[in-house]
Amino acid sequence: LTVEGYRLRVLDQGAGPAVLLLHGWCDSTYTWREQLPQLAAAYRVIALDWPGFGYSEKPAQAVGYARLARVAVGLLDQLGIERAFVVGNSMGGGAALHLAAGDPERVRGLVPIDAAAPTPRGRSCRRSSMRGSWRAARRAWRAVASRLASSTT
């Protein structure tokens, strides 16, 4: 499938409520090899290789969390899925956080696993900037919780 201009490897198995699996940095759909068959017994499970990982097309430039979230939403759109349980590991957790904050109506449930914390724009992960990173992460998580709560009422 081509989503947001990227050719992606996508696995789509099972039937039922949708579960979107988002892998972490330097990983691929292989990360979910043990969970896929178990989840597919009761759910429609979708896993993708992010742009630049696994068997997906390699982008010319780095792709940030906000863009990854748009890729995930675009994939759901192409597959005709309105809402999904979103499971993200590491970098995939950061993208899941952005997806939930930006499009809470698309998220049936959010499962971040060792989710990457967002950093303030232009800041590195040096010790001196970690305080700002954690503040940004707290604000982001509060925003996600608030948006998800308001989308269910």
Side-chain angles (χ1 to χ4, degrees), residues 18-140:
V19 176
L20 179 62
L21 301 176
L22 306 175
H23 70 77
W25 180 257
C26 292
D27 268 329
S28 67
T29 53
Y30 186 74
T31 297
W32 309 110
R33 68 192 176 282
E34 293 178 18
Q35 291 80 20
L36 269 164
Q38 294 174 15
L39 289 169
Y43 298 94
R44 179 177 181 189
V45 185
I46 298 96
L48 73 148
D49 284 343
W50 287 121
F53 297 92
Y55 291 101
S56 288
E57 182 177 38
K58 309 308 179 226
Q61 298 179 0
V63 181
Y65 289 122
R67 182 71 187 236
L68 292 175
R70 287 195 307 273
V71 167
V73 169
L75 177 60
L76 293 175
D77 288 343
Q78 281 201 27
L79 297 175
I81 298 169
E82 289 185 33
R83 297 183 77 209
F85 294 102
V86 181
V87 180
N89 178 50
S90 183
M91 178 184 78
L97 174 63
H98 277 267
L99 190 161
D103 292 287
E105 68 282 352
R106 304 301 296 272
V107 180
R108 180 175 268 177
L110 179 64
V111 183
I113 305 166
D114 289 333
T119 58
R121 185 178 275 291
R123 303 289 293 271
S124 71
C125 288
R126 295 185 316 241
R127 182 181 290 268
S128 62
S129 70
M130 288 307 286
R131 183 177 304 171
S133 297
W134 286 109
R135 285 185 188 135
R138 265 197 316 269
R139 281 193 306 273

